[in-house]
Amino acid sequence: MFDLIIRRARLADERLVDIAVRDGKIAALGSVQGEAKSEQDLAGRFYLSAGWIDSHVHCYPKSPIYHDEADRIGVSTGVTTVIDAGSTGADHIDDFYRLTRPATTQVYALINIARTGIVTQNELADMTQIDADAVEKAVARRPDFIVGLKARMSSSVVGQNGIQPLVKAKSIQKAVGGLPLMVHIGNNPPNLDEIADLLTSGDIITHCYNGKPNRILTPQGELRAAVKQALLRGVRLDVGHGSASFSFEVARAAIAQSILPDTISSDIYCRNRLNGPVHHLAHVMSKFFSVGMTLPQIIDCVTWKAADGLRLAQKGRLEVGCDADLTLFTIKEEPCSFADSEGERVEGEKQLVPLAAMVAGQWHLTDEGKTNHVFAL
């Protein structure tokens, strides 16, 4: 006996499938036979994917700068799992863990290599903030919560220390068993070439399509040689849209050369959620229709690719045995205006509208799902 069978769900590739859920896991796929406590027939009207993963958010409620509520940026917007990207370091990671346990949205963290996390804008300007022993102990205490490390490598953060915080981060990474390292890029110094040369397989460059001079494309619009070599080594590209880190111009030029992101993430916190240009993950995802990506490519970037990059083995895939985390959505085909972080506006023709999120087998209507009354749970 299944807990639930979802009939005729439309996948991103337009196939219709049945999905059965039992005990919070996906129990069967395809043309499902058998009985269930309840059934929901989508009749091909709505899309369904593995639960969306936003691999770069800021949701430590006590952060003085970058903060938000996990469920406000999570299940309320169709996102089942969020990864906080370095809001907290070793000093506050346990408090962050405690505060987010009541959330419906599943919350993980990348621990900032600076003890205090992003309390100021220049946490890596003081090398004494980088306490390898404290990071190692935190990872040992919270192995199911801390899924990687975060280092913000731009001039306003590192001050006069240049590339040295990243050298230290790579040493810490080795000490904690090679957890993924997400590296924020922005204004130089350090130069992006120096950063890219230090990165190894599984590391993540976030803000990959930023419009700053220290970006992945040369002035001639070609991929920097150092970044090209890093990608060949297995380094990954993350969007990390944020308030100041996404350029339509850069994204268009890169994607036209098949330099696609591995993950599409929002870098959301309360201010850019309320005032834009982020608003929510679906809004960020929708922008990629306008720069040359298809629906299956976009969905891959917030499901299995995000899960693989952060080693979330039971998430991101519609496969038997995986967590029953699902996102139900539709596509609204009407003119819509999108803004990047550089002030450019693009008039799009369609956008993703999340309607419901399932976490561990339990449905939660999104704001749009409640408003539009298009899906009855």
Side-chain angles (χ1 to χ4, degrees):
M1 172 76 72
F2 300 116
D3 295 327
L4 169 67
I5 298 176
I6 304 166
R7 300 285 185 192
R8 295 189 289 174
R10 185 175 298 278
L11 304 185
D13 63 7
E14 303 298 335
R15 288 181 297 137
L16 299 184
V17 301
D18 301 338
I19 300 173
V21 174
R22 183 169 52 222
D23 297 330
K25 298 285 186 180
I26 296 173
L29 285 154
S31 180
V32 175
Q33 305 298 315
E35 297 183 356
K37 296 175 184 176
S38 65
E39 289 196 12
Q40 291 164 335
D41 189 351
L42 302 185
R45 293 175 298 158
F46 306 116
Y47 287 96
L48 192 72
S49 72
W52 293 352
I53 301 168
D54 193 338
S55 49
H56 185 155
V57 309
H58 292 284
C59 62
Y60 176 47
K62 293 184 181 178
S63 173
I65 304 173
Y66 304 111
H67 58 86
D68 216 322
E69 295 295 330
D71 286 342
R72 178 65 265 175
I73 61 176
V75 291
S76 292
T77 62
V79 175
T80 59
T81 300
V82 298
I83 292 84
D84 183 278
S87 299
T88 54
D91 286 354
H92 303 109
I93 196 75
D94 295 301
D95 187 48
F96 183 28
Y97 174 82
R98 179 182 59 81
L99 288 173
T100 51
R101 291 316 87 191
T104 299
T105 308
Q106 295 164 106
V107 182
Y108 298 91
L110 303 176
I111 187 170
N112 198 308
I113 62 169
R115 291 193 65 113
T116 55
I118 312 177
V119 170
T120 63
Q121 296 284 8
N122 63 341
E123 70 267 16
L124 298 180
D126 178 2
M127 292 294 289
T128 64
Q129 281 270 20
I130 307 174
D131 186 335
D133 183 60
V135 174
E136 289 180 50
K137 288 178 179 176
V139 171
R141 285 196 308 274
R142 304 292 183 196
D144 296 329
F145 178 57
I146 300 172
V147 295
L149 311 177
K150 176 72 180 294
R152 299 202 305 151
M153 294 300 298
S154 56
S155 58
S156 61
V157 180
V158 303
Q160 301 301 309
N161 290 327
I163 201 69
Q164 290 309 305
L166 183 56
V167 173
K168 188 67 173 176
K170 292 297 291 181
S171 174
I172 296 171
Q173 180 187 39
K174 185 176 180 180
V176 296
L179 286 178
L181 169 64
M182 178 180 281
V183 178
H184 154 124
I185 60 171
N187 290 317
N188 59 312
N191 187 277
L192 180 53
D193 293 346
E194 292 181 273
I195 294 170
D197 284 344
L198 286 178
L199 302 182
T200 53
S201 181
D203 290 342
I204 302 163
I205 294 173
T206 192
H207 310 313
C208 67
Y209 298 138
N210 78 64
K212 301 176 176 68
N214 196 35
R215 59 195 184 202
I216 66 170
L217 300 182
T218 68
Q220 295 74 38
E222 300 172 350
L223 184 64
R224 286 180 183 237
V227 176
K228 181 177 181 180
Q229 290 302 313
L231 299 184
L232 291 173
R233 293 195 299 273
V235 173
R236 302 167 67 88
L237 296 179
D238 173 61
V239 170
H241 188 300
S243 301
S245 298
F246 177 73
S247 161
F248 275 124
E249 179 183 1
V250 174
R252 276 193 299 267
I255 289 169
Q257 300 173 60
S258 298
I259 307 164
L260 273 68
D262 292 286
T263 47
I264 296 174
S265 64
S266 65
D267 188 17
I268 197 169
Y269 71 110
C270 60
R271 190 175 302 169
N272 65 29
R273 169 172 59 82
L274 295 170
N275 303 325
V278 173
H279 297 299
H280 47 72
L281 181 61
H283 188 77
V284 173
M285 293 161 63
S286 299
K287 296 180 184 185
F288 283 83
F289 288 125
S290 299
V291 292
M293 289 179 66
T294 65
L295 178 62
Q297 288 175 324
I298 292 168
I299 296 300
D300 285 350
C301 286
V302 298
T303 55
W304 69 268
K305 287 188 174 182
D308 284 3
L310 294 165
R311 304 178 187 177
L312 301 175
Q314 299 301 308
K315 301 191 181 300
R317 284 181 166 84
L318 296 178
E319 294 180 357
V320 173
C322 287
D323 291 347
D325 295 348
L326 307 172
T327 299
L328 184 82
F329 64 99
T330 189
I331 297 177
K332 184 184 295 184
E333 299 203 13
E334 63 181 29
C336 44
S337 183
F338 298 110
D340 68 4
S341 303
E342 302 292 316
E344 181 181 350
R345 299 200 74 88
V346 168
E347 298 306 312
E349 297 180 351
K350 56 186 175 181
Q351 57 184 317
L352 294 158
V353 180
L355 302 174
M358 175 181 283
V359 178
Q362 298 297 314
W363 283 117
H364 306 272
L365 282 173
T366 66
D367 296 340
E368 291 87 351
K370 294 173 184 176
T371 300
N372 295 332
H373 304 290
V374 294
F375 182 65
L377 296 178

